[in-house]
Amino acid sequence: MRKFLGTTVFLLATVVGNTVYAADLAASTPPQAPVETAPVFSWTGFYVGVNAGGGFGGNDNVGFHSFGSYLGRFGKLEGSGFLGGGQIGYNYQFDPNWVIGLEADFQGADISDSFRNGTASASSKIDWYGTVRPRIGYAYDNTLFYGTGGLAYGHVDYKGALGGVGFDDDKTKAGWTVGAGVEHAFTDHVTAKLEYQYVDFGSSNMGGDALNSKASLDFHAVRVGLNYKF
């Protein structure tokens, strides 16, 4: 009986001692501060911005025809010049790095060229254009790499003359565009981008059966942009 009582007392003392020690240890150890993690940037939201850059022409060979007979290629138009304007759009980020969006832009431009070859001459000028394009990209935190393409429209003035006979094709044309770019967010609201576009308005035909001319109307554009994200 004494052995049993002694064993019981020893066990109770051990349990009480361990409990008191654990309580003292918990009281003397300060709670661990929570680990703060940097917030992950989200591309989702509306934005507006401005852009500026330059355009340079495609390979626009100019030829003349008379009553269906080809008279020859007399020159080439490779327009170049300044462009600048603004854009508005919306992005949605999902899964978790992919980003889709829609952007519309409008630019004033001075992409022009001309030539004279004997009695033949021609000139072209694009003085404004705009695009409406979906975008899809992949985001590495606050840097977005994307591709884009869609509708393009713009005002083109194409003039030509041969042997004293002149004609003019001055109208707004619709076409298409495709491109790619990279955009970086410097803050939660301010982003900047570098973008390439190829823009094609098809071809321009001038004159009638007696004398006519045709030229392609395309150009490449490289531009930088600054956006404010809401």
Side-chain angles (χ1 to χ4, degrees), residues 62-67 69-75 115-122 158-168 206-207 210-213:
V62 178
F64 291 91
H65 301 255
S66 178
F67 294 104
S69 299
Y70 183 55
L71 301 179
R73 181 177 69 86
F74 286 82
F115 76 85
R116 179 174 294 276
N117 182 0
T119 61
S121 65
Y158 174 41
K159 294 182 173 68
L162 180 63
V165 180
F167 28 77
D168 190 354
M206 301 185 300
L211 185 66
N212 63 76
S213 177

Side-chain angles (χ1 to χ4, degrees), residues 40-55:
V40 177
F41 179 80
S42 173
W43 288 91
T44 298
F46 288 97
Y47 62 90
V48 296
V50 294
N51 70 78

